[in-house]
Amino acid sequence: MENKLYVGNLSYSMRDDSLRQHFSAFGQVSSAKVMMERDSGRSKGFGFVEMGSSAEAQAAIQGLNGKEVDGRALTVNVARPMEPRSGGGFGGGDRRGGGYRQRAY
């Protein structure tokens, strides 16, 4: 997991291939993914890069964290595991459901 990096503050025009190109200067890039809005297809402004080794990942952090790319200073650090989300995806709540309920008399 030490070779998977979070990359934040990306320009909205950044795409997977250009992200890969920036990181390839520091070693083998196993994958590069800019996260996109589902509806609009626009970048969310962050992504993930997986480097070939933890040494290459550290070199990329040293070389790109704070570096200005497309007018924005990148944030690059080791990615953390995704935290479990609370709720059921429908606004959370008390899980009693909605709709018609019979009245108790």
Side-chain angles (χ1 to χ4, degrees), residues 20-78:
R20 176 183 292 274
Q21 189 175 17
H22 285 292
F23 279 79
S24 65
F26 300 95
Q28 177 191 353
V29 177
S30 302
S31 66
K33 181 73 177 158
V34 175
M35 305 312 288
M36 306 298 277
E37 291 282 347
R38 193 175 317 165
D39 298 330
S40 68
R42 189 174 107 158
S43 166
K44 289 185 175 184
F46 71 95
F48 296 95
V49 175
E50 190 169 356
M51 301 297 291
S53 70
S54 58
E56 292 170 337
Q58 286 302 315
I61 291 170
Q62 294 290 317
L64 291 173
N65 188 42
K67 182 179 178 193
E68 197 167 299
V69 175
D70 296 334
R72 300 179 70 120
L74 297 182
T75 300
V76 182
N77 50 45
V78 174

Side-chain angles (χ1 to χ4, degrees), residues 14 24-25 50 66 83 94 98:
M14 182 72 70
S24 65
E50 190 169 356
E83 295 178 9
D94 58 11

